[in-house]
Amino acid sequence: MESQTVKWKQYFLYLAFIYAILYFLHTNLLLNNRPIRIKKWPQLPLRFRHDGTFKILQVADMHFGSGLLSRCRDVLPSHFHYCSDLNTTRFLKTMIQLEKPDFVAFTGDNIFGPSTTDAAESLLSAFGPVMESGIPWAAVLGNHDQESSMTREELMSFISLMDYSLSQTNPPSKDTNNVKRGMFLDIDGFGNYNLSVYGAPGSHLANSSVLNLFFLDSGDRETVQGVRTYGWIKESQLNWLRSASQELQVQNQDVKYVIKTQPVDASAALAFFHIPIPEVRQLYYQKFVGRFGEGVACSSVNSGVLKTLVSIKDVKAVFIGHDHTNDFCGNLEGIWFCYGGGFGYHGYGRIGLARRARVILAELRKGDKEWMGVERIKTWKRLDDENLSKIDEQVLWELSPSR
């Protein structure tokens, strides 16, 4: 009997000890003198509004450095002495308040590595306004993000853990024999993933993806036959894109059901990456909307991105960055390629040329009683001038009535 009493006392002491440890971990454990906190998630899934719209703010080339210490480039002499990364922060806050986007897409060179010794601090500052807003967002990397204290893999991992971020380091592998820490082994780059936007609340498509957002890592710098060139999207990434597109189109059976009564597009998609593909150069000799302010800086390697996008048939428009004084949209084989235009003040620009952001608006078709699939995709730009001017509004894609 006495032995059993001792055992019960030990058991309760053990439970008390475990409870004390858990309480200590919950209330007192510090990392770098900061209380442990859990990532804040946006309300999911992404979905169209009650009015049948979904608005995306594209932010290209913030080039954030070290905040107040990072001065502006290519601004009027009268502005230079008080201009810094904080102007970029103010512009991002203004755009969020003005346009009230449902989602923000950052298309690379989010930070300018050579201007910061702490990439994590720079990222926290650069993405600070969107995290404060609580709006869901996602990012890809450019060719300058990794030039500080973090590798590209570390950058994407860190970005994926930030508040309200839907970014992913890479898509999960379905092959348990070919997986490492839940990611693809056989895909190049970091930041290849897709996000689904669901139909309007209360509609037949409320639980179906009607718009897919593809994000791809276009790399940074490479050497080809001894010559330095920009990175490019590799075949492994294109294989994933084909597979993901096909799988999403198969899943969208509900959308195809609606097509029987009204024309809708069962597989509308948009793509986001940083470095333009070589074919974008051809747009100089074709009709385009916006400013063609500099030569297209791209890889010397043509990996067949355009051919792949045409073949999968769902991507209606691609949004890129990299060339700051380009902000045009042009059509290549039925797919629109649009520059975001230089957003950040620490990145190069042109004196007298306002920094700018691109807005993308997807609209659903209105049926007899409810919203259906995507009918139209529009875009425009906002300038960081006195009037926050809205320019170059255009329809990128519209569902043909005959479909």
Side-chain angles (χ1 to χ4, degrees):
M1 185 70 180
E2 185 176 348
S3 176
Q4 288 184 339
T5 302
V6 171
K7 286 182 179 180
W8 277 108
K9 287 182 179 179
Q10 291 175 341
Y11 175 73
F12 282 115
L13 285 173
Y14 177 75
L15 287 179
F17 178 70
I18 295 298
Y19 177 81
I21 291 177
L22 292 174
Y23 180 80
F24 173 79
L25 291 174
H26 180 70
T27 58
N28 298 309
L29 184 61
L30 299 176
L31 290 176
N32 296 327
N33 296 321
R34 296 178 182 175
I36 290 178
R37 57 186 299 276
I38 299 174
K39 171 182 173 174
K40 296 177 182 177
W41 286 90
Q43 185 175 350
L44 294 175
L46 297 175
R47 69 168 63 253
F48 279 75
R49 300 179 187 177
H50 288 278
D51 65 357
T53 64
F54 186 81
K55 184 185 286 188
I56 301 171
L57 171 65
Q58 181 197 2
V59 177
D61 298 276
M62 282 196 294
H63 275 241
F64 205 93
S66 299
L68 189 62
L69 299 178
S70 295
R71 308 307 295 271
C72 296
R73 295 181 59 184
D74 299 324
V75 295
L76 294 171
S78 58
H79 295 168
F80 179 78
H81 295 293
Y82 56 85
C83 187
S84 70
D85 276 336
L86 301 188
N87 289 64
T88 303
T89 299
R90 175 194 51 76
F91 185 30
L92 182 53
K93 288 181 178 179
T94 300
M95 285 303 303
I96 290 172
Q97 293 169 358
L98 176 66
E99 289 289 356
K100 296 178 175 57
D102 301 293
F103 180 79
V104 183
F106 295 90
T107 50
D109 281 359
N110 310 296
I111 63 174
F112 186 62
S115 293
T116 177
T117 58
D118 190 332
E121 286 296 329
S122 184
L123 288 170
L124 288 168
S125 297
F127 296 129
V130 71
M131 289 192 290
E132 292 170 5
S133 74
I135 295 171
W137 60 279
V140 292
L141 301 177
N143 54 293
H144 287 301
D145 293 280
Q146 79 289 340
E147 295 175 337
S148 180
S149 58
M150 299 172 77
T151 66
R152 294 179 76 81
E153 182 177 11
E154 290 168 341
L155 286 164
M156 280 309 304
S157 178
F158 187 81
I159 290 171
S160 72
L161 296 173
M162 298 175 80
D163 286 347
Y164 305 107
S165 170
L166 300 181
S167 310
Q168 300 173 31
T169 306
N170 265 335
S173 174
K174 295 182 179 180
D175 182 359
T176 57
N177 296 319
N178 186 35
V179 66
K180 178 182 179 183
R181 291 177 302 193
M183 297 180 296
F184 268 111
L185 276 179
D186 296 330
I187 187 167
D188 290 277
F190 300 97
N192 304 288
Y193 56 99
N194 72 281
L195 301 172
S196 295
V197 185
Y198 286 68
S203 71
H204 178 72
L205 300 176
N207 296 318
S208 298
S209 171
V210 296
L211 178 67
N212 299 312
L213 310 177
F214 292 111
F215 296 82
L216 292 160
D217 181 8
S218 55
D220 49 280
R221 286 280 193 172
E222 306 245 1
T223 301
V224 178
Q225 297 180 343
V227 179
R228 292 276 284 172
T229 186
Y230 284 110
W232 64 91
I233 295 170
K234 308 296 196 305
E235 183 61 27
S236 64
Q237 297 167 275
L238 296 178
N239 286 338
W240 166 77
L241 179 62
R242 294 185 197 100
S243 176
S245 172
Q246 183 178 14
E247 182 177 335
L248 288 165
Q249 292 183 55
V250 169
Q251 289 176 358
N252 290 348
Q253 297 301 320
D254 288 343
V255 184
K256 294 177 182 178
Y257 169 79
V258 177
I259 294 179
K260 295 178 181 179
T261 57
Q262 290 284 346
V264 295
D265 191 31
S267 55
L270 307 174
F272 300 85
F273 51 84
H274 182 69
I275 299 174
I277 61 174
E279 289 90 341
V280 172
R281 290 172 170 168
Q282 301 171 13
L283 292 171
Y284 184 79
Y285 305 100
Q286 301 176 28
K287 183 179 180 180
F288 57 84
V289 178
R291 178 185 178 85
F292 206 127
E294 61 180 299
V296 174
C298 60
S299 176
S300 61
V301 175
N302 190 328
S303 61
V305 174
L306 180 59
K307 182 179 179 181
T308 298
L309 293 175
V310 171
S311 70
I312 61 178
K313 300 180 181 179
D314 54 355
V315 174
K316 311 305 178 187
V318 176
F319 300 93
I320 54 179
H322 192 53
D323 303 321
H324 302 186
T325 60
N326 288 340
D327 71 358
F328 64 85
C329 285
N331 194 295
L332 292 168
E333 299 188 36
I335 299 173
W336 285 90
F337 284 77
C338 296
Y339 278 97
F343 188 97
Y345 279 84
H346 188 51
Y348 77 87
R350 185 164 296 173
I351 294 176
L353 185 67
R355 265 53 176 191
R356 58 204 60 210
R358 180 171 292 281
V359 180
I360 306 144
L361 183 69
E363 299 176 334
L364 299 179
R365 176 180 287 273
K366 182 69 172 176
D368 294 334
K369 297 182 179 180
E370 60 182 358
W371 293 109
M372 299 188 300
V374 177
E375 179 182 40
R376 186 180 301 107
I377 297 171
K378 300 164 61 176
T379 188
W380 60 86
K381 297 185 292 284
R382 287 281 187 181
L383 306 184
D384 192 18
D385 58 14
E386 292 182 357
N387 301 313
L388 294 170
S389 302
K390 181 179 181 179
I391 64 170
D392 295 335
E393 185 170 4
Q394 65 180 117
V395 175
L396 294 178
W397 174 83
E398 190 164 18
L399 185 68
S400 170
S402 62
R403 292 185 60 175

